[in-house]
Amino acid sequence: MSTSLWSSGARTRSWSRRAPADCTPAPSRSSISAASPIAAAGATALLAQAGQAALQSAPFFPVSELQGLLRISRFRIALVVSALVYGSHAVHNAFAVIRWRQADISTSAINFLWSEAVLAEVLVFMLAGPELLDRLGVRSAAVLAAMAGAIRWSVAGVTTSVLLLSIIQPLHGLTFALLHLACMRMMRTLVAPSVAATAQGLYAFGSGVVTAALTFASGALYVSWAGAAFFPMAALCAAALPFAWFGFANGERLIRRSCERRQDLRMPPTSPGCSPLLADRR
């Protein structure tokens, strides 16, 4: 006990001897630590006021941006083509598995058919799609996607043969992935970066609304027509063909002119489709 008291006293004496040197900056440290919450509170208040001012000055819904985008005819055509072709997947997404089960197709075969479509989509997005888009251009890619949809749904409407279905299921890589890549390149040319987010939202919203409406209607179609419900979906893709052919052509010419201007100005061809277009020019 005496030892502990002695050591305690020794530490006290040692601390008292060091106190003048250690305590000199102590007031500044305490003042800083005390001022930090005050500064943080003040900064938070300023940020809150700035945020409220920004919210009051900026419109909650970008009406002017939407109006400006919808004035671009080629952008409207891209919305129409994507809505028709994406929406044509409604019967397949809602009733393909039901139709296949009613045809006594095994669960393993159904899993294989569905996986084919997913794998084709991934391969087009990651590997084949950009190269194919560079070679074909946005117009031919959009036309190919619409034609693939018309063929796919026409075959799906007349047969439940696993062999034939396994042949048409990979067309999903064209009817969805390739068309999406073509639309993205089209919008990259037509839409200014400042409104790109609004354009993407409008693009997703339009195709989503049409797909939802067609999915709702596909219930009545399937009840009445069974497999023949795929035929109206094929008709939607056929209806998208003239829009893809005439509407996407202008976008392709815009991409070409943009690439040529970049080359003339000795700027790097940042647009993904510039390489084959400039090669054609040479």
Side-chain angles (χ1 to χ4, degrees):
M1 175 125 187
S2 59
T3 303
S4 62
L5 290 174
W6 179 88
S7 60
S8 174
R11 285 196 299 271
T12 303
R13 287 191 300 273
S14 176
W15 177 85
S16 63
R17 285 195 299 269
R18 292 196 303 269
D22 288 347
C23 291
T24 302
S28 61
R29 287 199 301 268
S30 61
S31 62
I32 291 173
S33 61
S36 295
I38 300 173
T44 303
L46 291 175
L47 287 174
Q49 292 176 0
Q52 290 176 359
L55 288 175
Q56 291 174 357
S57 60
F60 177 75
F61 194 74
V63 177
S64 59
E65 291 183 5
L66 290 176
Q67 292 174 344
L69 287 169
L70 292 176
R71 291 192 189 101
I72 305 173
S73 61
R74 290 177 294 275
F75 179 72
R76 296 198 305 268
I77 291 174
L79 295 182
V80 170
V81 172
S82 62
L84 290 174
V85 178
Y86 295 158
S88 71
H89 293 71
V91 172
H92 176 267
N93 293 342
F95 295 101
V97 173
I98 296 175
R99 175 167 162 77
W100 297 341
R101 287 191 182 278
Q102 291 174 343
D104 294 327
I105 298 177
S106 65
T107 301
S108 59
I110 291 174
N111 292 338
F112 172 77
L113 292 172
W114 204 264
S115 300
E116 270 192 307
V118 175
L119 179 61
E121 178 185 331
V122 173
L123 289 177
V124 170
F125 271 131
M126 296 186 64
L127 299 175
E131 179 67 22
L132 190 60
L133 191 59
D134 286 344
R135 291 183 179 275
L136 296 178
V138 291
R139 177 174 66 177
S140 297
V143 169
L144 180 59
M147 290 179 60
I151 295 171
R152 184 184 182 189
W153 309 135
S154 297
V155 174
V158 298
T159 184
T160 55
S161 167
V162 175
L163 176 61
L164 293 177
L165 291 175
S166 65
I167 294 173
I168 64 170
Q169 278 297 92
L171 292 177
H172 186 74
L174 303 178
T175 59
F176 180 78
L178 184 62
L179 179 61
H180 180 72
L181 293 175
C183 289
M184 291 298 100
R185 186 167 295 182
M186 181 83 166
M187 287 195 291
R188 181 175 178 176
T189 306
L190 297 174
V191 175
S194 59
V195 294
T198 305
Q200 291 267 1
L202 189 58
Y203 163 78
F205 177 78
S207 59
V209 168
V210 172
T211 301
L214 290 171
T215 301
F216 184 79
S218 65
L221 290 174
Y222 190 78
V223 168
S224 301
W225 297 353
F230 282 98
F231 294 151
M233 305 298 107
L236 291 176
C237 293
L241 282 171
F243 291 101
W245 179 261
F246 293 106
F248 279 69
N250 292 329
E252 195 166 21
R253 287 196 292 269
L254 285 174
I255 293 176
R256 181 183 294 274
R257 287 200 298 269
S258 175
C259 294
E260 290 176 352
R261 283 197 302 270
R262 288 180 179 278
Q263 189 185 58
D264 293 338
L265 295 173
R266 297 181 181 179
M267 296 171 63
T270 56
S271 179
C274 281
S275 300
L277 291 174
L278 295 179
D280 292 344
R281 188 188 183 195
R282 293 193 293 268

